[in-house]
Amino acid sequence: MASNLLEGKKGIIFGALNDKSIAWKVAEKAKEQGAEFVLTNTPVSIRLGDLNKLAEQTDSLVVPADATNIEDLRDLFDKTMDHFDGKIDFILHSIGMSPNVRKKKHYDDLNYEFMMKTLDISAVSFHKMLQVARKKDAINEWGSVVALSYIAAQRTLYGYNDMADAKAMLESIARSFGYIYGRDRKIRVNTISQSPTLTTAGSGVRGIEGLMDFTERMSPLGNADANECADFTITLFSDLTRKITMQNIYHDGGFSSMGMSYRAMKMYNRSLYCDDCPDPEDIED
Amino acid sequence: MASNLLEGKKGIIFGALNDKSIAWKVAEKAKEQGAEFVLTNTPVSIRLGDLNKLAEQTDSLVVPADATNIEDLRDLFDKTMDHFDGKIDFILHSIGMSPNVRKKKHYDDLNYEFMMKTLDISAVSFHKMLQVARKKDAINEWGSVVALSYIAAQRTLYGYNDMADAKAMLESIARSFGYIYGRDRKIRVNTISQSPTLTTAGSGVRGIEGLMDFTERMSPLGNADANECADFTITLFSDLTRKITMQNIYHDGGFSSMGMSYRAMKMYNRSLYCDDCPDPEDIED
Amino acid sequence: MASNLLEGKKGIIFGALNDKSIAWKVAEKAKEQGAEFVLTNTPVSIRLGDLNKLAEQTDSLVVPADATNIEDLRDLFDKTMDHFDGKIDFILHSIGMSPNVRKKKHYDDLNYEFMMKTLDISAVSFHKMLQVARKKDAINEWGSVVALSYIAAQRTLYGYNDMADAKAMLESIARSFGYIYGRDRKIRVNTISQSPTLTTAGSGVRGIEGLMDFTERMSPLGNADANECADFTITLFSDLTRKITMQNIYHDGGFSSMGMSYRAMKMYNRSLYCDDCPDPEDIED
Amino acid sequence: MASNLLEGKKGIIFGALNDKSIAWKVAEKAKEQGAEFVLTNTPVSIRLGDLNKLAEQTDSLVVPADATNIEDLRDLFDKTMDHFDGKIDFILHSIGMSPNVRKKKHYDDLNYEFMMKTLDISAVSFHKMLQVARKKDAINEWGSVVALSYIAAQRTLYGYNDMADAKAMLESIARSFGYIYGRDRKIRVNTISQSPTLTTAGSGVRGIEGLMDFTERMSPLGNADANECADFTITLFSDLTRKITMQNIYHDGGFSSMGMSYRAMKMYNRSLYCDDCPDPEDIED
């Protein structure tokens, strides 16, 4: 949809790795809607991914930064404000990683140094970027900050591991900082709880295909994809949603409000009434 | 467990049809814990069920009453207070029925007279009993009122139909009346959101077996049964939970906090990877 | 913001009484964004209000209809589809009324005929319009239906009375019908939980000024007004939010996520430490 | 109430400092109900508090342990299992501390080393004790683990600071570990969301008196105190609540389900209509 919802708005987008990334799609859509932005990611992600391609495509500046590092964040905000010669209007936080998941540590056998890293990367980084922005007064009044979350913050999914705790904390930070930033500077802070999505990060989750088939059949509108998530993110950055803050909004085709759908139950029952099928326990992950 | 949690307490128990009923189990457990109570149900349910047997077993008075009928409710409370020569301490509301479900009207083809009956029987009856009790000042300070609910109040399950809306309203009435009754008389009002249960009422729900297999595998502790629900109800009637009110508490083996369990996913995947199985759409309900 | 978010979209807007109404603002904003729509309200509301003025201003057809009356609703959808020579894309339900509130019946002294009317007008009407629309297949794929709700559906506010139960049921209907309509026709159904708003309806609520001062100070962004609510509604009607359904979204300046703000506590404490002030109980409502 | 709800049960109670502590009350009530337990706290808390007095009073063993230290936790469980010559049945986690709160660092000026300590002490310690227990298979089937939480996990209260994020994470850990421990060993894990309580820890929260007056007037049953919280905890340790797990249950006199009470509004309005009162901003914290 050609429109001008973000005309004149400036922002920072964290976490675009490649063209499967939600952050990548947000950048494309934000550009279409008239925004300018700085793209950022860790140096290693920039090396492994295609961020420079996106920067070219959207005529954006890239500033490498580790979002857990205060010095990097200060540098990022300084360069961004220099680049735009002023404050910004929106930020996207699309960052998450668990060393415990990567190293296949089960949730009842966590490495606590890893867990602290999970929290630092996936949740505390959101506080850090907000605190640095706040101290530099880097965001215009009625600016909008969005972080991407997942329903694991409310409901346990096997294999999602300590990322669930990190997402719960991420959403809490959105509320806690949303209060202060709203009260003091009229800036809103929200999280989007997105369907499971086959990004490079999402692909790493155990049993993602079976889960996505289930959530697809459970959700009356099917799973939301990265493009659709980007569309919704644009509305949260726009001036049309100025009074929404401290919220976690489900963008998931209705999954979060479902107890059991006809389509998912049928599929499940097929297994239930299947005499020749292998024992469920014998199926490989 | 032999104990005396309800020593000296008196109450009214609505909705025991037969020995599968949760209300039946509550009556048995309440008796074990030292309570006395009046049993009530509609005249037709008393005829179809075994309430008089329960009355004998628990040495209780039976007072027939249609919980949607104010006159009946007044009569019930009068007779109860006469019987005990004083006020009561607890009430259980275990009542629900949808003519739309019975007549197999789908949710997008509801009969609205039926819907109003669903609401009246399954939700407004709770308000009526509370209002009659309140006007007669029939409950002692720190008394406890409990109604049975279901997670359909928060999450849609195909086939549960207008009972979902009735349960949402039932839980709202618990909050609304809980505020007034708490403030004025220190009486608490809560709902228990119970696992799907194979009572005579539960058996009527479409696809209940498949659903119960799914919830059993999703819930880390498995589905809660009627006996376990009765145990928990006793704690809510006891003096140990005096400051809990206006709450809906899940008694469901953990189901409500699950997104996906390993066991349910395995079972679902069996269907997913089953080449010879019939098409899900071809399986009979 | 001049834009074209609803370019080519057609709809029905229920419940615009006068220029304080949220539905009125939605009509104005929808027009600005390129939509066409039919305006509807009960005959008596049309007589008492200014709907014809709005119709002129937005170049819209007015079709009187009582949203609790199936015949009226059928007539409304027929005339609307005739008028547009086709299906519609969005519906706004902004309807609510409690005879118990009007007649100052307290929540522990409800008239149950009144209560049934509260439910019929404020909640069941939403089901009725959806069911009529569904039977006539009146909404295009990816259409969007929105009803206005209030946080009383989750948390009790003294004086809001049986409207709380009606709003809880309204939100449940949005989920229940959202499942079916999403699955079958890709149509989404959501509710907006709006700040207390000084519309003609809102003004009738007991103690609304004190409450609005409190919520204003509690909410980091202050209360959301009718214009802002209309802005947000536009985003839910647009194609940018296609995968959001069965949700209740708080549009309230952050109020719903607040436990206690500094500003509200200060104001409250002033009363607490005020020696000369009258007793709280002596203050008139 | 003399009873035998915990007859034969053994447990560990973390976090009793002095006779104002909730953990202290839980110990007393658990003893009354027939339980035996080990008491634990950090060495410094034991020195500053009265734990040895409680140990004498309840005939319990004291094992000092820092709950953030795996070695200490292993030692604690070993000594406990030696002491009882077998497994335990319940654990209470009543631990929380924020160096940022202590050092009066505001939420938009956090020290991140402090924040990591807040998380480690107040949330990760819960995971650590569960993981150590799980590895040692220290808890009997149908055992029960409870941690104390606060509504700040869902709703922001000014001044509660990074403890809000820690409590959100604590509740998430209860769900995440509750799934695994339930599935594998039938052990349940829950959190109690308790009213603000004037314990030694609670007294440190900014503006606690004003807040407690507000919550007292908002809650239909008034604030829940430490003794009442202990009563409820006993029910969660008992066999009567075997199928409740992964839940956060509000024990707060109804506060969490209130939007606005008559009594709180009256008090607030007094301030609103008070002409001579000082400006709210001029009142000292």
Side-chain angles (χ1 to χ4, degrees), chain D residues 25-37:
Chain D
K25 307 293 187 187
V26 171
E28 291 181 335
K29 302 267 182 182
K31 179 75 181 174
E32 272 176 51
Q33 296 283 350
E36 296 172 86
F37 40 81

PDB file of all heavy atoms in Angstrom, chain D residues 25-37:
ATOM      1  N   LYS D  25       6.057 -16.638  59.111  1.00  0.00           N
ATOM      2  CA  LYS D  25       4.671 -17.058  59.374  1.00  0.00           C
ATOM      3  C   LYS D  25       4.388 -18.413  58.734  1.00  0.00           C
ATOM      4  O   LYS D  25       3.676 -19.243  59.305  1.00  0.00           O
ATOM      5  CB  LYS D  25       3.690 -16.027  58.820  1.00  0.00           C
ATOM      6  CG  LYS D  25       3.930 -14.601  59.285  1.00  0.00           C
ATOM      7  CD  LYS D  25       3.677 -14.433  60.760  1.00  0.00           C
ATOM      8  CE  LYS D  25       3.752 -12.957  61.145  1.00  0.00           C
ATOM      9  NZ  LYS D  25       3.667 -12.769  62.608  1.00  0.00           N
ATOM     10  N   VAL D  26       4.934 -18.615  57.545  1.00  0.00           N
ATOM     11  CA  VAL D  26       4.734 -19.906  56.886  1.00  0.00           C
ATOM     12  C   VAL D  26       5.333 -21.024  57.742  1.00  0.00           C
ATOM     13  O   VAL D  26       4.721 -22.083  57.919  1.00  0.00           O
ATOM     14  CB  VAL D  26       5.340 -19.916  55.470  1.00  0.00           C
ATOM     15  CG1 VAL D  26       5.322 -21.325  54.872  1.00  0.00           C
ATOM     16  CG2 VAL D  26       4.591 -18.944  54.563  1.00  0.00           C
ATOM     17  N   ALA D  27       6.508 -20.756  58.290  1.00  0.00           N
ATOM     18  CA  ALA D  27       7.148 -21.764  59.149  1.00  0.00           C
ATOM     19  C   ALA D  27       6.255 -22.088  60.351  1.00  0.00           C
ATOM     20  O   ALA D  27       6.019 -23.260  60.673  1.00  0.00           O
ATOM     21  CB  ALA D  27       8.516 -21.269  59.603  1.00  0.00           C
ATOM     22  N   GLU D  28       5.753 -21.060  60.993  1.00  0.00           N
ATOM     23  CA  GLU D  28       4.887 -21.295  62.165  1.00  0.00           C
ATOM     24  C   GLU D  28       3.632 -22.100  61.799  1.00  0.00           C
ATOM     25  O   GLU D  28       3.259 -23.040  62.496  1.00  0.00           O
ATOM     26  CB  GLU D  28       4.481 -19.953  62.787  1.00  0.00           C
ATOM     27  CG  GLU D  28       5.656 -19.227  63.464  1.00  0.00           C
ATOM     28  CD  GLU D  28       5.224 -17.907  64.096  1.00  0.00           C
ATOM     29  OE1 GLU D  28       4.211 -17.324  63.639  1.00  0.00           O
ATOM     30  OE2 GLU D  28       5.905 -17.458  65.035  1.00  0.00           O
ATOM     31  N   LYS D  29       2.998 -21.693  60.697  1.00  0.00           N
ATOM     32  CA  LYS D  29       1.758 -22.379  60.278  1.00  0.00           C
ATOM     33  C   LYS D  29       2.055 -23.810  59.816  1.00  0.00           C
ATOM     34  O   LYS D  29       1.261 -24.727  60.057  1.00  0.00           O
ATOM     35  CB  LYS D  29       1.090 -21.616  59.138  1.00  0.00           C
ATOM     36  CG  LYS D  29       0.755 -20.177  59.465  1.00  0.00           C
ATOM     37  CD  LYS D  29      -0.655 -20.034  59.985  1.00  0.00           C
ATOM     38  CE  LYS D  29      -0.963 -18.566  60.258  1.00  0.00           C
ATOM     39  NZ  LYS D  29      -2.307 -18.380  60.811  1.00  0.00           N
ATOM     40  N   ALA D  30       3.163 -23.975  59.127  1.00  0.00           N
ATOM     41  CA  ALA D  30       3.501 -25.320  58.641  1.00  0.00           C
ATOM     42  C   ALA D  30       3.729 -26.260  59.828  1.00  0.00           C
ATOM     43  O   ALA D  30       3.294 -27.418  59.828  1.00  0.00           O
ATOM     44  CB  ALA D  30       4.737 -25.261  57.744  1.00  0.00           C
ATOM     45  N   LYS D  31       4.394 -25.731  60.823  1.00  0.00           N
ATOM     46  CA  LYS D  31       4.616 -26.511  62.059  1.00  0.00           C
ATOM     47  C   LYS D  31       3.277 -26.923  62.686  1.00  0.00           C
ATOM     48  O   LYS D  31       3.059 -28.092  63.013  1.00  0.00           O
ATOM     49  CB  LYS D  31       5.420 -25.643  63.039  1.00  0.00           C
ATOM     50  CG  LYS D  31       5.715 -26.281  64.377  1.00  0.00           C
ATOM     51  CD  LYS D  31       6.807 -27.317  64.276  1.00  0.00           C
ATOM     52  CE  LYS D  31       7.071 -27.975  65.621  1.00  0.00           C
ATOM     53  NZ  LYS D  31       8.037 -29.069  65.493  1.00  0.00           N
ATOM     54  N   GLU D  32       2.395 -25.937  62.822  1.00  0.00           N
ATOM     55  CA  GLU D  32       1.058 -26.209  63.367  1.00  0.00           C
ATOM     56  C   GLU D  32       0.328 -27.314  62.614  1.00  0.00           C
ATOM     57  O   GLU D  32      -0.473 -28.040  63.174  1.00  0.00           O
ATOM     58  CB  GLU D  32       0.185 -24.962  63.245  1.00  0.00           C
ATOM     59  CG  GLU D  32       0.234 -23.977  64.376  1.00  0.00           C
ATOM     60  CD  GLU D  32      -0.614 -22.750  64.045  1.00  0.00           C
ATOM     61  OE1 GLU D  32      -1.790 -22.906  63.654  1.00  0.00           O
ATOM     62  OE2 GLU D  32      -0.066 -21.639  64.142  1.00  0.00           O
ATOM     63  N   GLN D  33       0.574 -27.372  61.289  1.00  0.00           N
ATOM     64  CA  GLN D  33      -0.142 -28.333  60.448  1.00  0.00           C
ATOM     65  C   GLN D  33       0.603 -29.656  60.343  1.00  0.00           C
ATOM     66  O   GLN D  33       0.262 -30.503  59.514  1.00  0.00           O
ATOM     67  CB  GLN D  33      -0.377 -27.741  59.048  1.00  0.00           C
ATOM     68  CG  GLN D  33      -1.279 -26.530  59.032  1.00  0.00           C
ATOM     69  CD  GLN D  33      -2.756 -26.882  59.183  1.00  0.00           C
ATOM     70  OE1 GLN D  33      -3.124 -28.060  59.110  1.00  0.00           O
ATOM     71  NE2 GLN D  33      -3.591 -25.882  59.427  1.00  0.00           N
ATOM     72  N   GLY D  34       1.650 -29.813  61.162  1.00  0.00           N
ATOM     73  CA  GLY D  34       2.294 -31.122  61.224  1.00  0.00           C
ATOM     74  C   GLY D  34       3.549 -31.294  60.387  1.00  0.00           C
ATOM     75  O   GLY D  34       4.097 -32.398  60.308  1.00  0.00           O
ATOM     76  N   ALA D  35       4.030 -30.233  59.758  1.00  0.00           N
ATOM     77  CA  ALA D  35       5.212 -30.355  58.912  1.00  0.00           C
ATOM     78  C   ALA D  35       6.500 -30.220  59.715  1.00  0.00           C
ATOM     79  O   ALA D  35       6.525 -29.633  60.787  1.00  0.00           O
ATOM     80  CB  ALA D  35       5.185 -29.294  57.816  1.00  0.00           C
ATOM     81  N   GLU D  36       7.555 -30.776  59.140  1.00  0.00           N
ATOM     82  CA  GLU D  36       8.923 -30.501  59.592  1.00  0.00           C
ATOM     83  C   GLU D  36       9.664 -29.827  58.453  1.00  0.00           C
ATOM     84  O   GLU D  36       9.359 -30.092  57.290  1.00  0.00           O
ATOM     85  CB  GLU D  36       9.652 -31.803  59.916  1.00  0.00           C
ATOM     86  CG  GLU D  36       9.063 -32.585  61.057  1.00  0.00           C
ATOM     87  CD  GLU D  36       9.763 -33.943  61.154  1.00  0.00           C
ATOM     88  OE1 GLU D  36      10.816 -34.035  61.810  1.00  0.00           O
ATOM     89  OE2 GLU D  36       9.252 -34.893  60.518  1.00  0.00           O
ATOM     90  N   PHE D  37      10.648 -28.991  58.785  1.00  0.00           N
ATOM     91  CA  PHE D  37      11.335 -28.285  57.701  1.00  0.00           C
ATOM     92  C   PHE D  37      12.714 -27.830  58.147  1.00  0.00           C
ATOM     93  O   PHE D  37      13.026 -27.766  59.342  1.00  0.00           O
ATOM     94  CB  PHE D  37      10.518 -27.075  57.238  1.00  0.00           C
ATOM     95  CG  PHE D  37       9.882 -26.319  58.364  1.00  0.00           C
ATOM     96  CD1 PHE D  37      10.621 -25.411  59.098  1.00  0.00           C
ATOM     97  CD2 PHE D  37       8.552 -26.553  58.706  1.00  0.00           C
ATOM     98  CE1 PHE D  37      10.037 -24.733  60.158  1.00  0.00           C
ATOM     99  CE2 PHE D  37       7.963 -25.881  59.775  1.00  0.00           C
ATOM    100  CZ  PHE D  37       8.698 -24.973  60.502  1.00  0.00           C
TER     101      PHE D  37
END
